[in-house]
Amino acid sequence: MNRRAIISLLTILAFASCIKNDLPKPVVDLFIASLDVEGTSGDIVLDRSTYTATIPLAEETNIEAVQFKTITFGSDVVTNINYTADNSKIIVSKDLNNRVVNMTEPEYITLSYFQTYEWKIVATQTINRIWTVDGQIGATEWDLEGHRAIVKRRQDYPLSDVKTTEMRFGPRPTYDYPEVAQMPTNFDNESKSQTVTVSAHGRSTIWELIVVPTEVALDFEYVAAGANVIWIKAANIDGASIQFAYRKKDSEEWLKVNDEWYAADSSNPYNRYEEGFVKAIVRGLEPNTKYEVIGYADEKQSDIKVVTTTSLYQLPNSQMEEWAKFTNDQQLLPTGEVGPCWYPFSSVQHMFWATGNPGGTSLGEKYNLTFPVYKSASPENVPADSPGEVSAYMGSQNVLGMKFAAGNLFVGEYGETLGTNAKIYFGCMVDQNIKPVALRFKVKYSRGGINWITVNNKYQSATTGTEYHIGSKQIKIVGGQPDVAKVFFCLTDWSEPHCVDSADEKTFFDPRTAEGVYGLGYFDSDSNPEMVADHTDRWHTMTLPIEYRNPEVVPSCLLLTFTCSGYGDYFTGSSESWMYVDDIELLYDLDEQNQPK
């Protein structure tokens, strides 16, 4: 090496020795990849958005001694994506493999790599506790933290002779407790209470049992009206005969509620029986009419309740006849500017339904995923008995290898396109008391095997037979498994439509568990295999029962959504799935066979 080369090398080494390594360390998100525990009653939920693992324990499992079998961990490189994390180098604060853990309190575990993440592991357990007595009024009130059970009981029944009719503080054989005949009977003391000791898994808990003497009077939980029905619910009174009657306001004749109108079956979606209550649904009423309802407990009469039945509201463009093409620019849409995007309305002054088309058509007119189909051009794709000439088609697609787009049709508005993501507003505000008993529609559906999937924000084709986990809740998807269609109708007390941002999983919602949903009808094709098994060429008439958490609540927002790819929020589904929908109808009355009419 010559003298000049040596000097140059020394200069470079000296310069390099003065440079600090300021390159930031990669951000590596750490998570529980799998958790296997004995004694569960459902799937363990691994929620990466909140760093929480939730274990649903079966009733008979000892929550103080939960057997953990295996727990594994994974990583997701958030920055410096060319860096490959080595999962074997994840530092775990404690080893839970093959451990017995007391899960009465959350268990915390810390995972470290370049950064540190704390995961919380919680156990949930529902125990079906029962304590009922003779002369009881309504349902038992349970104070689980205070270990107290409280019953209201007819005051004309003596406190010195309280007979337990049924009891269950937990499942046998794990729990040991007194038999019914061994239960205390004398509650004639200052506190009107007695205690029992319940043993479970070698530990004992003292429960206080309290009897509250109550006047025998009918106590309505609610009296609420739809257009053609009235829902009635009152606390049951053991030993008393409870009956309801009704009449048009200002009429002189009271009409007895028919025996078959009383709830007697816990599986009845329209008038579900509930322990501790007497329920009925009065049918065949006139809309927009005042009615009076009264109840009797033996000879004692309740106050008169006055309700007004609602109107027979139907959704705009429910026959799917009105369609037009406008701009996909949502800021220009109110002007009615013509464009490449199909909309399920004919005038921007009467927007009600929406689709994901504005996002897709920003890449070209061929990415209209939802559009009208005309009987004149495609007679098999409009129901033969339909009064109209048009049906709605929706199909899912892989869009230019960038994202999976699910075909959909929903009540609401498309908000805005944000790169390959979008904001969508589900629902519309309503100013009338809408109370249908069911939603009926005609549908034809074909589902393909899931062939596109998004895992850890990476969009890719799904390999048949390969197991994937999508979203922060790590939903298990196997490549090639059948796609799923979903339909749901909601009535809520929201102050505004719900905004879903496809880039923010925290905005996703499940109508079955969402806050503020008081009326719900839900359908998916997994629960209705007759619709998809070798019958994709047939139209089916589907009826969704609408159940009310409390029918007295006046709804402020209405939602209705159809999609042929139920995991579309996660950019996951089949590009071979499609659905036709037509003749959407809200139903307001039931026949004598308890079926919507």
Side-chain angles (χ1 to χ4, degrees), residues 165 189 410 431 526:
T165 55
N189 53 53
F410 60 92
D431 57 3
D526 281 347

Side-chain angles (χ1 to χ4, degrees), residues 9 29 36 52 163 195 199 202-203 244 304 337 429 439 464 542 549 552:
L9 178 60
D29 187 29
D36 189 8
T52 303
K163 292 183 175 64
T195 60
S199 298
R203 71 181 189 275
F244 305 127
I304 294 175
E337 180 177 310
M429 307 308 292
L439 172 78
T464 300
M542 309 301 297
R549 185 190 309 171
E552 282 190 308

Side-chain angles (χ1 to χ4, degrees), residues 1-44:
M1 182 179 293
N2 61 36
R3 183 172 179 272
R4 170 181 269 179
I6 293 173
I7 293 174
S8 297
L9 178 60
L10 292 174
T11 302
I12 291 170
L13 292 174
F15 178 71
S17 68
C18 297
I19 298 177
K20 295 182 179 180
N21 183 7
D22 290 331
L23 292 176
K25 295 178 180 178
V27 175
V28 181
D29 187 29
L30 305 178
F31 53 86
I32 296 175
S34 67
L35 178 58
D36 189 8
V37 173
E38 289 185 356
T40 60
S41 63
D43 293 333
I44 296 173

Side-chain angles (χ1 to χ4, degrees), residues 130-132 164-169 177-180 183 196:
I130 300 171
W131 178 50
T132 59
T164 293
T165 55
E166 189 177 5
M167 63 169 294
R168 182 174 184 263
F169 284 84
Y177 44 78
E179 300 294 338
V180 168
M183 288 291 287
V196 294

Side-chain angles (χ1 to χ4, degrees), residues 469-486:
H469 294 85
I470 63 173
S472 64
K473 294 186 178 180
Q474 296 291 277
I475 302 167
K476 186 175 78 172
I477 299 290
V478 177
Q481 76 177 53
D483 208 346
V484 56
K486 292 184 179 181

Side-chain angles (χ1 to χ4, degrees), residues 189-349:
N189 53 53
E190 184 177 353
S191 62
K192 300 177 179 58
S193 69
Q194 291 281 4
T195 60
V196 294
T197 300
V198 178
S199 298
H201 306 294
R203 71 181 189 275
S204 296
T205 303
I206 296 175
W207 281 83
E208 183 182 13
L209 309 179
I210 302 171
V211 176
V212 180
T214 304
E215 182 183 356
V216 179
L218 194 66
D219 183 13
F220 282 114
E221 287 284 312
Y222 57 67
V223 177
N228 300 126
V229 301
I230 293 175
W231 293 275
I232 307 172
K233 180 180 178 181
N236 191 20
I237 302 172
D238 183 52
S241 173
I242 295 178
Q243 292 184 322
F244 305 127
Y246 69 101
R247 67 184 180 187
K248 280 187 181 180
K249 187 170 172 52
D250 299 327
S251 172
E252 293 185 1
E253 181 184 6
W254 285 101
L255 302 174
K256 178 184 174 182
V257 170
N258 295 348
D259 291 342
E260 61 268 24
W261 294 353
Y262 287 89
D265 182 357
S266 60
S267 65
N268 181 354
Y270 304 100
N271 191 22
R272 195 179 298 280
Y273 172 77
E274 291 181 44
E275 188 71 36
F277 297 95
V278 179
K279 295 174 61 183
I281 183 166
V282 182
R283 307 167 182 166
L285 304 180
E286 297 177 13
N288 300 312
T289 304
K290 286 187 182 298
Y291 285 87
E292 295 179 327
V293 173
I294 198 168
Y296 301 91
D298 289 337
E299 301 302 320
K300 294 193 176 182
Q301 177 180 306
S302 73
D303 294 334
I304 294 175
K305 299 286 186 180
V306 180
V307 293
T308 302
T309 52
T310 65
S311 61
L312 296 168
Y313 172 86
Q314 292 296 335
L315 306 174
N317 197 23
S318 59
Q319 302 296 315
M320 292 291 113
E321 296 298 298
E322 299 178 13
W323 293 81
K325 279 188 170 182
F326 297 108
T327 177
N328 54 26
D329 186 330
Q330 298 304 284
Q331 292 184 336
L332 293 177
L333 180 60
T335 68
E337 180 177 310
V338 175
C341 186
W342 275 113
Y343 290 89
F345 49 79
S346 58
S347 166
V348 296
Q349 282 73 44

Side-chain angles (χ1 to χ4, degrees), residues 507-521:
T507 66
F508 298 178
F509 78 102
D510 184 335
R512 295 167 294 182
T513 57
E515 290 287 334
V517 175
Y518 285 89
L520 174 64

